[in-house]
Amino acid sequence: MDCQNPGKSRRRRGGRGTRDEGRDVRLSKSLSYALRHGACKMGFRMSSDGFIFVDELLSHQHFSSFSLEDVERVVATNDKQRFKLQNHPESGRVQIRANQGHSVQVEDLELRPVVSDDPDCPQEAVHGSYMMHWASIRSQGLSRMTRTHIHLAPGLPGEGRVISGMRGNCDLAVYIDVPKALSDGIKFYWSENGVLLTPGGADGLLSPRYFSRAQRLKPSQCELELQ
């Protein structure tokens, strides 16, 4: 410690902590891209259930400044539980995957189908978006766009078991009548981290007919007209 200027020492420690946090954010974003979208482009071999071996990941130039301990820390501290680490059942090598959010097709993400008579089937699920898109969403529905699923949450962030499923800065919440959609053959799945996923209909859209309500969240909550 610099006894003549203790504030100087504190600033140094604080700066280092900020740099460490920034480094973890960079790693988290890089993992998200590689595991959800860019594995093939980056030359990684992804298993049918979406896993990549961590040692192969770290040997890539994009991840060469990180260690296994860095990856383990980012996975453990990610507030939305975006990733899963496990040992390969045969080789024991550590592997990682994203729990959801893929634009690449993954055959077996261990998603749990939602059925209407399941106690875990929510009566409503919410999709977070932004008011700038409301006119399009209200007329056309929700689109999975380039991803394989539309992401929904069983409630707003901070409500009970809700961990992930929508961004914290969303200012629009669109509520879905899940039993109604299920009765029309729309499929829903639970991911490992509690995100409700649906591919929508054959056109990749979740029709406005399944909207039960919509709210503007910011600057203050208010109900929106569906028609």
Side-chain angles (χ1 to χ4, degrees), residues 82-103:
R82 291 186 176 96
F83 312 110
K84 179 178 180 179
L85 272 178
Q86 69 174 31
N87 294 325
H88 189 276
E90 296 178 4
S91 68
R93 293 167 67 191
V94 181
Q95 50 186 4
I96 186 172
R97 78 172 176 202
N99 283 321
Q100 84 284 319
H102 300 79
S103 59

Side-chain angles (χ1 to χ4, degrees), residues 4-18:
Q4 293 181 334
N5 190 351
K8 182 178 180 182
S9 177
R10 285 195 296 270
R11 285 195 297 273
R12 284 176 177 169
R13 287 199 299 269
R16 181 176 179 179
T18 301

